[in-house]
Each structure stands twice: as structure tokens, then as C-alpha cells.
Amino acid sequence: MPRKTVNDDPLAPLTLAVGQEDLLLDRAVQQVVAAARAADADTDVRDLTSDQLQPGTLAELTSPSLFAERKVVVVRNAQDLSADSVKDVKAYLGAPVEEITLVLLHAGGAKGKGLLDAARKAGAREVACPKMTKPADRLAFVRSEFRALGRTATPEASQTLVDAIGSDLRELASAVTQLAADVEGTIDEAVVGRYYTGRAEASSFTVADRAVEGRTAEALEALRWSLSTGVAPVLITSALAQGVRAIGKLSSARGGRPADLARELGMPPWKIDRVRQQMRGWTPDGVATALRAVAAADAGVKGGGDDPEYALEKAVVAIAAAAQARQGR
């Protein structure tokens, strides 16, 4: 979820939303607009892209009005503003206008850093909107969405939802809202499975789970279904890598309770139990072979080969074969 500064008044003269996660950036804007309209239903909202904020535009938008109306001025992709427009914004920061809230959306990188630093120095209310690239971040997001709606979901349910939907935060948020509206009581894995079974079958993690379990035919079927529904090949190689690495980590870890291993390996306890079940049949050589297969597939889907789908099929077959080595299945 977005991290806010100590100054958490949405009607502060300046809000700085920093990051590249579109959903969180939009929510930062929506929060300011909602607060402004709660204070004044006739609030005027101007939502501009960086190329629309030409030199002089900000001065025009923030000039005193005969009606002294409240106004929200949103500037998106502020890191892309021209040098002259940046000068205008910096000048405005030194003398903000009462009843006007300026919202700057900035990617947060090196580009446009001068404006970013100036906004912070001016005491901006800051909302962090980082891109959620790690599965653990998306899992935390789903849990926070359920909490925000006053609902309880089991860890397995939240994980199943992330596995089924993927990396799109808007879709994850929409799914949480749908489940919260339709389901009474605690939301569990079975409920999520019923709602999103088609998506789960198409998920990259389903491909990985079937492969590391040695279920070659089911893994290939899930792979073909995933690709046919538009799942990016790079997401599938990532899921395969995570699945094999989890096997390797747990097989080399000391024995112990799931809670102790979870702390040691950085996995939730329920995942420890799942990976333990998937480990049967694996050998150290098998893990090494599978990791090489994943690396080859990763190179194949990122331009090192002519046929990404074939590269993935080869990897899935190799991983499933490695999973069967010890038991000779």
C-alpha cells in the first residue's frame, strides 16, 4: 500500500505521489479530489499530462478567481515537464495559493529529480506508489485490500488470488472487492478457487506447480492454456524459477517446524507445507538440471531463441522429468 508522510492531510497545498504503480497513483489523486469535494462540492479539478502544462499554464490555473473556488490541479508524469514548466512549478511552490491543491505525479527516478527535491523541500505531503514487482508485495497488497474492506481472508486464499490473477493490481483490487461483496464470513482458498478457477488454470504458477510435481501432461496443458489466454512467457519462466528454487531451498534447509523454516527461508508457513509435498522425487542433481532448464528458457523467451513457446515446453518437460528422478516415475 502507499506509504504516506507525517503530513497526511489530503488538502495540503501540495501532494507528491511518487512511483510507477498506476493504481496507487490514481488512488492518491482520487483521495485528494474526494477530500476537496467533501469540503466544497463545486471544486474544480484540472487533470493535466506533462505536455499539457506549458509555460504559463500553471499561473493561469492558479490565478485568483472572482468566486474564490476550491481547485485541484493534477500534473501527471511531472518528471517529463519542460525546463520552463519546471521553473513555473518551483516558483509556485514558493508561494502556493490558498484553496488550491497541487498534485504532482512523479516516477521517482533520476529524471526530473530537481523538481522532486524542490517539492520535498517545500514540505509536500508525499505518497509512495512503488511498482509492485515482487509476488510478496502483491500478496501484502491483497491482504491490505481485504483489511481495508473489513474482511478476513486466509493466507491460502490471498495467495491463490495472486496466483490466479497475476501482477495487475487493478484486477487484484477488483477481485478483492468482488469477493468481499459476494461472500459472507471468512474468505478461504476454496471460495477463491470457485470464483477464479479459469484464471487459476491459466496462471503461470499453476504451470510451475504441475511441473515441479512431475505432472508433465498437466503442466504442458496448463502452459498451452496460459499462453493462449495471453500470459506473458517471461512471467511463466519467473514462476518456474521460483518453484524450482523453493524446492532447492527447502531440500537443503535443516529440518524443523514450518514456522521455523518459514523464518529461515523467507516463505510463509503454509508454503513450506506445499513445497514439502512437491519435493518428493527431487534430488540435488535434479534441482541443478531444472535450474539450467529454466535459465535456457529465460534466454529463449527474452530474445535468445526463435520460438519462446517451444523454449517453455522444453523447460517444463525437463523440470517434470527432474521431479521424477528419485522415484523413477
Side-chain angles (χ1 to χ4, degrees):
M1 289 297 292
R3 184 184 70 255
K4 304 180 182 68
T5 53
V6 175
N7 176 12
D8 196 26
D9 179 6
L11 295 181
L14 174 63
T15 285
L16 180 62
V18 184
Q20 299 178 44
E21 190 59 70
D22 290 341
L23 172 65
L24 302 185
L25 290 167
D26 284 347
R27 284 184 174 181
V29 172
Q30 290 162 8
Q31 185 186 30
V32 172
V33 171
R37 286 187 168 153
D40 181 354
D42 294 325
T43 293
D44 181 20
V45 178
R46 302 298 179 92
D47 196 327
L48 309 173
T49 58
S50 57
D51 59 335
Q52 291 175 317
L53 193 74
Q54 295 295 318
T57 303
L58 185 60
E60 180 183 338
L61 290 174
T62 57
S63 59
S65 166
L66 289 175
F67 304 103
E69 63 184 353
R70 181 176 290 279
K71 187 177 293 185
V72 175
V73 178
V74 180
V75 179
R76 297 180 183 270
N77 299 312
Q79 73 280 355
D80 295 330
L81 288 172
S82 69
D84 288 337
S85 294
V86 168
K87 287 180 182 177
D88 285 356
V89 174
K90 287 182 176 179
Y92 176 81
L93 296 180
V97 179
E98 192 174 353
E99 299 296 305
I100 291 181
T101 298
L102 177 62
V103 184
L104 297 178
L105 276 55
H106 194 292
K111 187 177 183 182
K113 189 173 185 298
L115 178 58
L116 192 62
D117 292 341
R120 286 168 171 161
K121 187 175 180 180
R125 165 185 177 261
E126 186 169 341
V127 183
C129 307
K131 196 75 177 174
M132 295 192 180
T133 57
K134 297 179 180 178
D137 293 338
R138 294 192 287 274
L139 181 59
F141 171 79
V142 166
R143 289 173 173 170
S144 69
E145 290 290 288
F146 278 122
R147 284 196 301 271
L149 293 173
R151 300 303 307 275
T152 300
T154 65
E156 294 85 355
S158 295
Q159 184 65 58
T160 299
L161 191 59
V162 171
D163 291 350
I165 301 297
S167 60
D168 190 314
L169 246 58
R170 291 186 189 280
E171 291 195 33
L172 284 169
S174 176
V176 169
T177 301
Q178 183 73 49
L179 288 165
D182 291 358
V183 179
E184 295 182 1
T186 299
I187 296 165
D188 59 21
E189 185 178 13
V191 169
V192 175
R194 286 201 299 273
Y195 268 71
Y196 297 98
T197 180
R199 295 297 296 273
E201 288 171 0
S203 84
S204 54
F205 290 99
T206 301
V207 178
D209 283 342
R210 299 298 86 80
V212 299
E213 290 161 5
R215 295 155 67 177
T216 309
E218 292 176 44
L220 288 172
E221 182 181 357
L223 172 63
R224 289 163 190 147
W225 181 251
S226 295
L227 293 171
S228 72
T229 55
V231 176
V234 69
L235 295 180
I236 299 175
T237 55
S238 175
L240 290 171
Q242 289 181 49
V244 175
R245 285 177 189 143
I247 298 286
K249 281 183 180 180
L250 194 54
S251 62
S252 61
R254 298 185 303 275
R257 296 177 305 167
D260 296 331
L261 287 169
R263 284 192 294 272
E264 181 183 341
L265 302 177
M267 298 180 189
W270 65 265
K271 189 169 183 179
I272 296 290
D273 291 334
R274 176 182 289 181
V275 176
R276 271 180 168 164
Q277 294 174 356
Q278 294 174 334
M279 282 171 55
R280 298 165 188 164
W282 281 93
T283 64
D285 286 345
V287 172
T289 298
L291 286 173
R292 286 194 293 271
V294 171
D298 189 55
V301 303
K302 291 179 179 176
D306 297 328
D307 190 342
E309 293 187 18
Y310 177 64
L312 284 169
E313 286 187 6
K314 280 184 64 177
V316 165
V317 171
I319 292 167
Q324 301 169 17
R326 176 170 289 166
Q327 296 181 10
R329 291 179 292 176

